Amino acid sequence: TTEIYTRSIVGSVRCVQETGYQRRVHGIYIKQSMQYIKDMSDQPEQGFSFENTRRNQFLIEKKVVKEPRYTKTGTTIAGMIFKDGVILGADTRATEGPIVANKNCLKIHYLAPNMHCCGAGTAADCDAVTDMISRQLELIRLNTGRECRIVNAATLMSNYLFNYGGYIGAYLIIGGVDCKGPHIVNVYADGMQTWLPFYSTGSGSLAATAILETSYRDDIPLEEAKEIIVRAIEAGIYNDLGSGSNVDLCVITKGKTEFFRNYVSKNKKMFSMEKAFSFPKGTTKVIKETTVKLAEVKVEDVSSPMEILQLTAQFIKTISVSYTHLRAHETREDLVCRLLLEKKKT
């Protein structure tokens, strides 16, 4: 009998080569087969090993573990070079699977005075990566005394994302103007770069790319460039459920950056309530009611703050106050002062 030891997600499983048997793993019986053990024993000692992939598939088929699920996200972002600089656009809907988590989120991030960045993918990853790169670019400007180049930001992002092999969900479009002119560069989650005159990514990028490819030309004036980017983002909004709400724009030229928050807002709320909800007394049933009687304290009119503090100290010593009566962020001394003031008003 040949014994083969394999590593599984739920622990170490000892597999014995025989016609068939059942082994209990955390309360679950798994029937091991000869073919699976034979495949495991034929793994090469050198080179790539796909043992974990076959192991995971086996455990999923045997219902030992559940297949991991992912959360669907949605975005439409785009960037384009025009005659005097670059223009970036993005929608403002943040999704969490089938849920709209935020209707007016910000997807255009600041990197440097001469460059901004659109982010698609995981919102937290995009925010963290762009904030980190922005701080590093600030240090470069302080050390060199010069304006950062677009290639600096693209290289920093590529090197950082490459180290994580695509597990950081940040798909970025960097746009800016430096000493070499305007640039649009796309940085994938695995660190790859693409330098193009226009680009779109996200779940609504197919519709947006169709608008960009049919409308782009060299030396486009600013107003026409705004119209094209707005049409591209709106195409993603109207044809992709993960994109929606408003359109943000960022125009970057030599020595100037303009940010247009909610440049287009066509998905406005069509109705609103005339007044807030009103619930009559007794709507919420009171299960239990307790009345705590505090000690009787004679409140006298005093003129100096020191006398008020002395009376407060005496009041604290004479009674025991239940902490259940404390309001949010209220100390025991604050409670006593509040009770004194309320007693004085009555």
Side-chain angles (χ1 to χ4, degrees):
T1 303
T2 303
E3 295 185 355
I4 303 171
Y5 294 90
T6 62
R7 179 76 59 183
S8 71
I9 297 176
V10 295
S12 298
V13 182
R14 184 178 182 182
C15 305
V16 183
Q17 187 175 359
E18 55 187 22
T19 57
Y21 66 96
Q22 291 182 339
R23 177 74 63 183
R24 183 177 180 86
V25 180
H26 291 285
I28 302 175
Y29 286 95
I30 308 172
K31 187 175 182 180
Q32 306 287 356
S33 62
M34 284 287 295
Q35 185 62 38
Y36 173 72
I37 298 177
K38 182 179 180 181
D39 293 341
M40 297 296 294
S41 62
D42 292 339
Q43 294 294 323
E45 296 181 357
Q46 297 179 355
F48 290 103
S49 175
F50 297 94
E51 175 184 343
N52 291 342
T53 303
R54 303 164 80 176
R55 171 209 67 190
N56 295 345
Q57 186 63 31
F58 175 80
L59 294 175
I60 291 172
E61 292 176 354
K62 298 299 180 180
K63 298 182 179 180
V64 178
V65 295
K66 294 183 179 179
E67 187 174 2
R69 302 178 61 183
Y70 66 94
T71 300
K72 174 70 172 63
T73 59
T75 291
T76 301
I77 56 176
M80 185 178 67
I81 297 176
F82 67 97
K83 183 178 180 180
D84 300 321
V86 299
I87 181 171
L88 301 173
D91 72 306
T92 61
R93 173 180 289 182
T95 57
E96 186 180 353
I99 302 171
V100 178
N102 192 343
K103 296 180 181 179
N104 197 27
C105 71
L106 184 63
K107 300 183 182 181
I108 302 179
H109 308 276
Y110 170 86
L111 291 181
N114 64 320
M115 71 181 82
H116 278 63
C117 173
C118 296
T122 305
D125 291 345
C126 292
D127 290 341
V129 171
T130 53
D131 287 346
M132 179 192 66
I133 299 301
S134 177
R135 292 191 294 269
Q136 294 185 18
L137 293 175
E138 178 69 21
L139 292 176
I140 293 175
R141 290 197 302 276
L142 293 174
N143 289 330
T144 61
R146 299 179 180 178
E147 186 179 64
C148 291
R149 295 175 57 179
I150 311 304
V151 68
N152 294 138
T155 303
L156 290 172
M157 286 185 178
S158 296
N159 293 339
Y160 180 77
L161 295 174
F162 177 79
N163 292 332
Y164 289 88
Y167 283 96
I168 295 180
Y171 300 84
L172 309 169
I173 298 178
I174 306 173
V177 180
D178 57 16
C179 59
K180 296 293 184 179
H183 301 280
I184 290 290
V185 53
N186 177 58
V187 181
Y188 294 86
D190 57 3
M192 188 180 74
Q193 299 181 16
T194 305
W195 296 71
L196 293 169
F198 62 88
Y199 197 84
S200 177
T201 189
S203 58
S205 60
L206 291 179
T209 302
I211 301 297
L212 294 175
E213 289 183 345
T214 55
S215 305
Y216 178 80
R217 70 177 191 277
D218 294 335
D219 297 332
I220 298 179
L222 174 58
E223 294 303 322
E224 187 177 351
K226 286 183 179 180
E227 180 184 352
I228 293 174
I229 289 294
V230 169
R231 286 171 50 208
I233 301 301
E234 286 181 342
I237 289 174
Y238 295 136
N239 295 279
D240 172 48
L241 295 178
S243 306
S245 298
N246 312 313
V247 179
D248 291 343
L249 292 182
C250 181
V251 178
I252 305 174
T253 56
K254 187 65 176 178
K256 184 179 179 181
T257 299
E258 292 181 288
F259 185 80
F260 300 93
R261 180 68 166 155
N262 295 341
Y263 183 76
V264 176
S265 301
K266 292 185 177 180
N267 296 318
K268 294 183 179 179
K269 195 172 182 180
M270 302 301 297
F271 63 93
S272 59
M273 296 188 61
E274 296 181 357
K275 58 181 180 179
F277 291 102
S278 178
F279 299 100
K281 187 176 180 180
T283 302
T284 303
K285 183 179 179 181
V286 179
I287 300 177
K288 184 179 180 181
E289 183 177 355
T290 303
T291 303
V292 178
K293 185 177 181 181
L294 300 178
E296 293 292 338
V297 177
K298 184 179 180 181
V299 179
E300 299 179 355
D301 292 334
V302 292
S303 56
S304 63
M306 185 59 64
E307 294 180 359
I308 297 178
L309 293 177
Q310 292 177 356
L311 288 176
T312 303
Q314 296 176 3
F315 185 73
I316 294 175
K317 293 179 181 179
T318 57
I319 66 170
S320 60
V321 181
S322 174
Y323 282 91
T324 58
H325 295 81
L326 292 175
R327 295 177 179 176
H329 309 292
E330 186 179 42
T331 62
R332 190 168 183 265
E333 289 74 12
D334 294 336
L335 172 63
V336 173
C337 292
R338 178 167 59 84
L339 294 176
L340 281 172
L341 293 174
E342 294 177 356
K343 183 70 176 179
K344 185 176 181 181
K345 292 179 181 178
T346 57

